[in-house]
Amino acid sequence: MQIEKVNLFKKHLLEDISVLGKMMDSNAFSKSKFRIGAEQEMCIVDPHANVLPINQSILKNVNHPQLTTELAKFNLEMNLLPRNFEPNCLHNMESELLGLFNILHDKTDEDVRFYLGGIIPSLRYIDIDIENITPLKRYFELVNNILKSRGDEYELRIQGEDELLMKHNSVFIEAATTSFQIHLEIPPHLFAQFYNVSQYIAAPLLAISANSPIFLRKKLWHETRIALLRQSIDVSKTPNTIREAHSRVTFGNRWVKESVLELFHEDISLHRVLMIPDLKESSRKQYLNNQTPDLKALQLYNSTIYRWNRPVYGVMNGEPHLRIENRILPAGPTIIDQMANAAFWYGLMFGMQDEKIAEKMPFAAVKNNFLQAARNGIYAKMKLSNGKEYTVSEIIDKELLPIAIEGLKKMGINDEKSFNYLQVIKERNQVGINGAIWTIDAFDSLKKGGVSPTDALATLVDTSIAYQIQNTPIHKWEIPTKRSNMKKNINEIIIEECMDKDLFTVRPTDIIQLAADMMDWQKIRFIMVENEQGQLEGIVSSRNLLKNLNGHVHHKSELPVSIEEIMVRNPIIAESNQKLSDALSLMKKYQIGCLPILQNKKLVGIITEQTFLNVFADLIG
């Protein structure tokens, strides 16, 4: 039965593609205009800078048609109204965003806050649990279908200044990211040239707007969203190292030659169907009856393909249109920063629309530029059509900003406010500060000043929200010098937030002299014993190690004693998602000075008496 439903959906999908081709050959899009729109994603945050999974209760209380859910309970989305690209349109978009945020703040509890950023720095592993998925059928269906295609567990690996290497069993990790998606409606006959421009400018746009450098306390890429989304939604199962793997999250593979159909054809050829709704109406019948076809199968299928510049078919007020959905930009740092990014993109799109981009540069070079921008942000170097390499600052200052200014003028955007957005880009570029740079510098500064990582991350969120409310552009933010006044007590702290993750471990078959020397070198009193799979086998304390070493000295003729002969087996443990107060109770109950911390049955950290001294010192402030 499932196979029959899949094949029926594919039949509708192929029919939709055929109908779209006929519509493009006729005058179906004759009323198509240059219109713009946007989607604003955000995190819901509590007073302690942790995400708050209450999106449905907020939507119920606020009751506004432009607010909707996102995949995670701790995310919200605003859908801005589409508007013609004409004088004051950008200023009006900013006013609409500010108005919607004012409504949110007015109709929610004062302890509820909203954070704009590609990835909220204070996010914890416990937050990306499947329990935090918004309880709607379409979200569960998408997650389950991706898991069926990919398998139960996958490895997530991202290497930046730090390295993240973890195994995860849910696509829900995608919910860690939020963006500011902007749209541009394009007449079909101009789609190819506009789309190619959007690909060419993607790298410098991403570099200057990067705002996602920290994920799970690790400094990774300047725009970690790019790597995280690709790996979390990837369903490819490549049987060997020769065959090409194709991710559903993609920059693309080639320039568009003639029409949007090339992109849809490629996607359908490469990626399986994930969602299978019941579709009864035929798009061919709609078209033959002079109705505007909904192309529901195409729209649904396309929503499961995550191109960074995504082609979209839609219908508004009974009129069909094609648009480019720019998914590159992260949320934040502020609304004015987002509007500056949008103005830069729109200006470049119109300023370069007549250039034959595809003839000037190999697509592979543009794709590599995009990857460099995601990894290094403003510090990236990129190749241009002349084959020479330039810094992001040089490209923006000498080439792109003048083009963006002319592009806005070309479309009749002459108001001072719109050009002030480009001034924000210019100043941000001159001082070399975007969201990623500020976040990294502030985090390092706070830690250097003695602030714990947990409080430093919370301070980043608190400081950001304060500047977001003021709508101050990122390049004018100051670096915080002390932690926020967090009114947290031990009952509100999760073990994950304060455990020591810098572990030194030994294997059961190692000799006890190795454990003794490691304890001496690292100035630690306990050492964990784990097997090759990272599972906890036991624990060795300095006390029982000293006891056994002394005994071994008096029997020099004996073979070296192995760790497994002296280790404490089946030690008392705790899970990383438990409260710190639970750890304190366990250590008090069993009179132990160390508590190994597990996550998915793997050793991930340790709690000792020193942990509590550090926490209480921070709480006292």
Side-chain angles (χ1 to χ4, degrees):
M1 182 64 181
Q2 184 74 6
I3 294 176
E4 292 177 2
K5 288 183 67 175
V6 170
N7 287 335
L8 182 59
F9 179 82
K10 289 178 180 177
K11 180 181 177 182
H12 279 285
L13 180 58
L14 295 177
E15 183 178 281
D16 285 359
I17 287 293
S18 176
V19 169
L20 178 59
K22 290 181 172 62
M23 293 172 67
M24 292 171 61
D25 291 336
S26 67
N27 62 351
F29 292 91
S30 61
K31 296 181 180 179
S32 186
K33 306 172 182 177
F34 289 116
R35 280 186 290 223
I36 63 173
E39 300 166 52
Q40 173 73 74
E41 297 172 351
M42 72 200 78
C43 280
I44 309 166
V45 182
D46 71 10
H48 306 311
N50 292 321
V51 294
L52 199 56
I54 59 168
N55 62 1
Q56 289 190 301
S57 63
I58 289 178
L59 290 175
K60 183 178 180 180
N61 292 335
V62 177
N63 190 27
H64 195 285
Q66 288 176 256
L67 296 177
T68 187
T69 59
E70 256 296 329
L71 181 60
K73 292 178 182 177
F74 51 78
N75 288 340
L76 277 177
E77 180 177 286
M78 295 175 177
N79 291 311
L80 303 193
L81 299 173
R83 48 179 42 89
N84 291 336
F85 200 82
E86 56 190 16
N88 299 318
C89 65
L90 298 176
H91 181 217
N92 292 340
M93 181 183 282
E94 181 185 9
S95 298
E96 183 182 7
L97 269 174
L98 291 170
L100 288 171
F101 270 105
N102 286 336
I103 292 172
L104 266 182
H105 288 121
D106 290 344
K107 294 190 176 184
T108 51
D109 189 90
E110 63 179 7
D111 287 338
V112 177
R113 305 182 297 166
F114 304 96
Y115 172 82
L116 298 178
I119 299 174
I120 186 167
S122 57
L123 193 75
R124 304 164 298 180
Y125 189 89
I126 188 177
D127 298 322
I128 52 176
D129 189 273
I130 196 68
E131 290 185 3
N132 273 338
I133 189 173
T134 300
L136 294 178
K137 180 181 178 181
R138 69 178 185 272
Y139 294 137
F140 284 110
E141 184 178 355
L142 177 63
V143 169
N144 290 334
N145 287 338
I146 289 178
L147 285 178
K148 287 178 183 178
S149 298
R150 181 179 56 206
D152 292 336
E153 196 174 65
Y154 70 99
E155 187 175 87
L156 181 68
R157 184 167 197 159
I158 307 173
Q159 189 163 13
E161 184 174 335
D162 299 325
E163 183 177 18
L164 177 71
L165 178 60
M166 60 182 282
K167 287 192 175 181
H168 205 271
N169 60 0
S170 173
V171 67
F172 184 68
I173 203 168
E174 179 230 341
T177 69
T178 51
S179 61
F180 181 59
Q181 299 170 18
I182 51 179
H183 301 242
L184 177 60
E185 182 180 327
I186 305 292
H189 69 284
L190 297 176
F191 190 91
Q193 61 199 69
F194 269 92
Y195 190 83
N196 287 340
V197 171
S198 72
Q199 296 285 76
Y200 178 75
I201 64 177
L205 177 71
L206 178 64
I208 196 65
S209 61
N211 192 31
S212 314
I214 295 177
F215 176 59
L216 299 182
R217 298 174 176 242
K218 293 182 181 289
K219 291 183 287 185
L220 302 170
W221 290 11
H222 282 226
E223 192 51 49
T224 306
R225 276 173 56 252
I226 303 301
L228 191 60
L229 281 168
R230 178 182 173 88
Q231 295 188 43
S232 65
I233 303 177
D234 190 7
V235 299
S236 59
K237 290 182 178 179
T238 306
N240 54 55
T241 58
I242 299 176
R243 178 175 167 182
E244 187 72 28
H246 298 282
S247 173
R248 298 184 88 92
V249 179
T250 178
F251 183 76
N253 300 300
R254 57 187 62 87
W255 296 115
V256 176
K257 295 180 180 179
E258 296 181 1
S259 81
V260 68
L261 289 175
E262 296 167 36
L263 298 173
F264 291 139
H265 289 167
E266 180 177 79
D267 290 340
I268 294 172
S269 300
L270 292 176
H271 304 294
R272 297 180 182 277
V273 169
L274 287 181
M275 308 281 280
I276 315 168
D278 291 323
L279 299 176
K280 297 178 181 179
E281 198 159 16
S282 164
S283 58
R284 181 176 286 111
K285 287 183 180 179
Q286 287 181 311
Y287 180 69
L288 293 175
N289 291 331
N290 293 319
Q291 298 175 309
T292 300
D294 295 318
L295 306 187
K296 289 183 178 178
L298 176 61
Q299 289 198 58
L300 180 63
Y301 176 82
N302 192 46
S303 71
T304 68
I305 307 296
Y306 304 88
R307 287 181 180 269
W308 293 111
N309 285 306
R310 179 156 65 182
V312 178
Y313 169 87
V315 179
M316 188 173 71
N317 299 324
E319 297 178 1
H321 69 266
L322 293 172
R323 66 181 187 270
I324 298 172
E325 180 184 78
N326 180 330
R327 303 171 55 82
I328 292 166
L329 298 171
T334 62
I335 290 176
I336 192 170
D337 280 304
Q338 292 181 157
M339 291 309 306
N341 298 335
F344 191 38
W345 187 68
Y346 288 127
L348 288 172
M349 290 289 280
F350 289 110
M352 302 181 75
Q353 72 172 90
D354 296 325
E355 296 189 27
K356 297 180 179 179
I357 295 296
E359 298 177 6
K360 292 184 175 182
M361 194 169 177
F363 186 84
V366 175
K367 189 172 183 177
N368 184 63
N369 284 348
F370 182 74
L371 184 62
Q372 294 302 318
R375 283 177 171 162
N376 304 309
I378 288 178
Y379 298 145
K381 290 186 177 181
M382 303 176 184
K383 286 187 178 180
L384 296 186
S385 55
N386 61 8
K388 295 182 180 179
E389 196 171 64
Y390 299 89
T391 65
V392 170
S393 178
E394 290 173 323
I395 294 171
I396 290 176
D397 183 54
K398 297 178 181 179
E399 179 183 358
L400 298 185
L401 266 175
I403 293 175
I405 292 171
E406 290 305 311
L408 293 184
K409 289 180 179 179
K410 178 181 178 180
M411 297 302 294
I413 308 294
N414 289 309
D415 63 298
E416 183 179 349
K417 181 69 175 179
S418 295
F419 287 105
N420 283 342
Y421 296 138
L422 294 183
Q423 184 65 24
V424 169
I425 295 292
K426 181 176 182 178
E427 293 176 7
R428 191 194 302 168
N429 188 52
Q430 286 175 339
V431 298
I433 296 291
N434 59 9
I437 299 295
W438 182 89
T439 300
I440 293 169
D441 288 350
F443 186 50
D444 289 345
S445 176
L446 287 164
K447 288 201 301 177
K448 187 176 181 180
V451 178
S452 70
T454 296
D455 280 352
L457 294 170
T459 301
L460 296 183
V461 174
D462 289 344
T463 306
S464 297
I465 290 175
Y467 279 122
Q468 286 163 9
I469 291 172
Q470 298 170 15
N471 205 19
T472 303
I474 184 67
H475 64 278
K476 295 183 179 181
W477 292 14
E478 293 183 2
I479 298 293
T481 56
K482 60 182 180 179
R483 74 184 181 115
S484 301
N485 184 26
M486 305 300 293
K487 298 177 181 178
K488 220 171 188 180
N489 62 59
I490 191 172
N491 294 313
E492 296 172 328
I493 298 174
I494 303 298
I495 290 176
E496 178 189 339
E497 298 178 274
C498 59
M499 67 185 183
D500 188 352
K501 293 184 284 187
D502 190 10
L503 299 179
F504 300 97
T505 65
V506 291
R507 298 285 188 262
T509 54
D510 288 334
I511 60 174
I512 62 174
Q513 185 63 51
L514 174 63
D517 287 344
M518 288 174 62
M519 285 183 173
D520 181 42
W521 297 335
Q522 306 302 332
K523 309 302 180 198
I524 54 178
R525 293 172 50 214
F526 303 93
I527 196 162
M528 304 295 105
V529 185
E530 63 177 350
N531 60 25
E532 296 290 341
Q533 288 73 44
Q535 296 170 322
L536 183 68
E537 293 278 342
I539 187 171
V540 177
S541 69
S542 56
R543 181 177 298 177
N544 74 336
L545 190 61
L546 183 62
K547 177 181 176 182
N548 281 276
L549 274 175
N550 286 336
H552 184 57
V553 168
H554 296 298
H555 300 83
K556 293 183 179 180
S557 61
E558 296 180 7
L559 292 173
V561 178
S562 64
I563 296 292
E564 60 188 348
E565 295 180 55
I566 68 165
M567 70 184 185
V568 175
R569 299 177 184 272
N570 301 315
I572 305 301
I573 57 93
E575 295 286 335
S576 61
N577 59 0
Q578 289 181 254
K579 292 181 179 179
L580 184 59
S581 54
D582 296 335
L584 180 61
S585 298
L586 284 171
M587 293 174 70
K588 183 178 179 181
K589 178 180 178 179
Y590 292 101
Q591 293 295 298
I592 53 178
C594 164
L595 198 62
I597 307 302
L598 304 188
Q599 185 173 280
N600 297 331
K601 300 181 180 180
K602 299 291 180 66
L603 179 67
V604 294
I606 184 174
I607 293 287
T608 66
E609 298 105 320
Q610 186 62 46
T611 306
F612 292 98
L613 289 175
N614 294 338
V615 168
F616 289 134
D618 285 338
L619 291 175
I620 293 171

